[in-house]
Each structure stands twice: as C-alpha cells, then as structure tokens.
C-alpha cells in the first residue's frame, strides 16, 4: 500500500499525495500521484503505470471517494506517467485527460478514444477544477518535448513531473526533503541526463521563480517545501543539463 498524505486543505479545496511505496517491486521506478480536489470534483496528476494501478487506486480509495475524480493531468507521455489510462477509464469512461497536444494521438495507445484527451496548447493556460483555476505551465524538453507542470495559485503548489525528481534509496522514507545537500545528490545524475535542453531549463527557472510556491511536488522522490523550493530552482539553474555524463 502507498501512503496518502494531505498536503493542503482549505475548505473544500485540497491536495493529497499518494506517496512512493516502500513495498513496490525494485524493477519499477517509484512514483508520487497527487489528487487535487475543489468543490467535490477531483483531478489526479500523472496517475502512474498500469503495474501500480492497484496500489494507487487501493491506497487512495481507502479514505477517499475516487468517483470524485473526473480528470487526469498528464505531464507527458511516459509509461510511468500514464500507462494506467485504460484502467482509470474502465473505472470511469467519462474521465478526461489534459496533456500536450503533441501527445494527443500517442497517449490513446494506452486507452481512451477521440474524446479522452483534452489537448493543451504549447503556451499552456487555465484548467478549471470545481471552484478553482489551475494553470498548465509549459515545461517543454523537461524532459519530454511536449511537457507541462501544474500550478495551483490558491494552494501555492507546483506539480513538476520529472523536474525535481530524485532516485532515493528505498531505505529513505521521508516525504519531504529534509537535508537539501544530501537529497540533491540523488537528483543530479537524473536531471543531467533526462533534461534535454539547457535553454528550456533556464526558461523554466525564470518562469518558476516568478510563481509563489510553498511546495514543489515532483513525480519521483521527496517533495520540496519552504526555502528548499528556491534552493532547488537555483540549483537547477546552475546545472548543465542535456549531457550523458562521464560514465556513459
Ligand atoms: Fe518521463
């Protein structure tokens, strides 16, 4: 089972994380799923691969009515992000999936039909959820060529997909980054190799530093909060990405 933790709650507006799973098979990369709710309607970000669907759905549904989920936000097209799509659609065929227009004919290979994908234009834009308006924030080439993050200005939370991801040892149970310098060692190799464009990365750092962010929430590894958010953005700005590294 995965751990479900409420990250933010104000009236009928909330964020939950379905956090990485200590019981998960070692051959699968661990993931975080986020569930945003407003006025009884919910969205799940990067719901994960089909292999982990039972763990995600089961853990979440223990204390949450998953029928509230009417949409998915898919930061990009990878299998660990959205290959569970057909299983979510079996649960709710009316479910819609926000994703880059670039992937609108690719993601349906995981399931759905011509109605399922709501394509996001390159510049991103607002996404209504219940009473709140979320923002799809462009993060192209970080790492996918059509890639988005999701900002909630009310909760001051930015979901960042693979940006901020760290490949932590299974023995590290911390939900939040506790010691930035130690943590970031587990993120460095990943960012150098996976993030495809230094120019896109610097653009993203400018964009992110203009947002008010209390929590930066990646799809893999621990979450950044407080001072560690700005620390991460500055660390990322100074990192040279799009290189294969010394040992490869
Ligand atoms: Fe990916």
């Amino acid at each position: 089972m995965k751990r479900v933790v409420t990250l933010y709650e104000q009236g009928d507006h909330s964020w939950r994380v379905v956090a990485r799973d200590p019981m998960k098979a070692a051959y699968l990369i661990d993931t975080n799923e986020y569930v945003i709710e407003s006025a009884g309607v919910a969205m799940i970000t990067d719901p994960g691969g089909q292999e982990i669907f039972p763990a995600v759905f089961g853990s979440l549904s223990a204390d949450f009515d998953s029928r509230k989920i009417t949409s998915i936000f898919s930061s990009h097209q990878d299998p660990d992000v959205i290959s569970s799509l057909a299983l979510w659609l079996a649960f709710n065929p009316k479910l819609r999936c926000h994703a880059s227009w670039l992937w609108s004919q690719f993601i349906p290979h995981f399931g759905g039909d011509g109605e399922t994908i709501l394509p996001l234009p390159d510049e991103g834009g607002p996404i209504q959820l219940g009473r709140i308006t979320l923002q799809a924030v462009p993060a192209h080439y970080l790492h996918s060529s059509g890639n988005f993050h999701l900002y909630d200005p009310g909760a001051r939370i930015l979901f960042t997909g693979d940006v901020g991801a760290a490949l932590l040892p299974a023995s590290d149970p911390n939900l939040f980054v506790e010691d930035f310098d130690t943590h970031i060692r587990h993120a460095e190799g990943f960012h150098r190799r996976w993030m495809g464009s230094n120019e896109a990365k610097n653009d993203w750092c400018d964009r992110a530093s203009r947002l008010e962010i209390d929590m930066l929430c990646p799809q893999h590894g621990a979450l950044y909060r407080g001072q560690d958010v700005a620390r991460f953005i500055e660390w990322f700005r100074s990192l040279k990405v799009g290189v294969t590294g010394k040992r490869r």
Side-chain angles (χ1 to χ4, degrees):
M1 288 288 273
K2 299 186 67 154
R3 195 155 50 119
V4 182
V5 178
T6 299
L7 298 174
Y8 172 89
E9 193 162 27
Q10 195 70 253
D12 61 6
H13 177 196
S14 65
W15 276 70
R16 283 176 175 77
V17 59
V18 185
R20 57 191 203 279
D21 179 3
M23 304 303 288
K24 174 206 61 62
Y27 60 84
L28 294 167
I29 188 166
D30 216 342
T31 57
N32 300 315
E33 293 74 33
Y34 300 90
V35 177
I36 312 156
E37 183 179 353
S38 168
V41 186
M43 172 189 287
I44 185 164
T45 68
D46 290 5
Q50 54 178 343
E51 283 292 317
I52 62 153
F53 176 82
V56 172
F57 191 82
S59 310
L60 178 65
S61 302
D63 193 33
F64 180 82
D65 183 357
S66 294
R67 287 173 300 186
K68 290 182 194 170
I69 298 176
T70 57
S71 59
I72 291 174
F73 178 84
S74 187
S75 63
H76 61 293
Q77 83 296 355
D78 271 346
D80 64 314
V81 169
I82 189 64
S83 72
S84 60
L85 180 59
L87 297 168
W88 284 97
L89 286 165
F91 171 66
N92 177 5
K94 292 206 182 93
L95 210 126
R96 294 290 175 265
C97 176
H98 302 272
S100 165
W101 69 273
L102 204 62
W103 298 116
S104 57
Q105 290 182 297
F106 292 72
I107 291 175
H109 279 263
F110 290 134
D113 56 27
E115 307 287 297
T116 307
I117 304 294
L118 300 174
L120 291 164
D122 279 341
E123 64 276 18
I127 296 176
Q128 196 66 31
L129 178 72
R131 264 196 287 273
I132 62 170
T133 307
L134 303 163
Q135 294 291 334
V137 178
H140 307 307
Y141 300 104
L142 304 173
H143 65 89
S144 167
S145 45
N147 204 116
F148 284 97
H149 296 167
L150 188 66
Y151 181 57
D152 180 340
R156 296 163 58 118
I157 294 177
L158 181 65
F159 166 66
T160 53
D162 282 324
V163 170
L167 306 176
L168 300 174
S171 56
D172 183 343
N174 291 329
L175 179 62
F176 291 99
V177 172
E178 300 298 339
D179 179 71
F180 185 85
D181 294 335
T182 310
H183 171 85
I184 212 68
R185 283 185 221 142
H186 300 288
E188 189 170 330
F190 181 90
H191 285 74
R192 266 193 219 287
R193 179 64 195 256
W194 280 96
M195 302 302 153
S197 159
N198 224 52
E199 190 184 334
K201 181 262 293 177
N202 290 339
D203 276 359
W204 179 88
C205 290
D206 291 344
R207 213 157 27 248
S209 41
R210 283 195 297 270
L211 300 173
E212 293 183 321
I213 306 169
D214 290 342
M215 242 180 260
L216 187 148
C217 296
Q219 193 216 350
H220 310 285
L223 286 56
Y224 304 75
R225 61 179 167 183
Q227 298 289 314
D228 286 334
V229 173
R231 232 170 247 148
F232 172 76
I233 296 168
E234 286 319 303
W235 171 85
F236 195 30
R237 195 190 293 278
S238 62
L239 187 74
K240 187 161 187 301
V241 304
V243 286
T244 52
K246 289 185 192 122
R247 264 163 272 145
R248 281 175 176 249

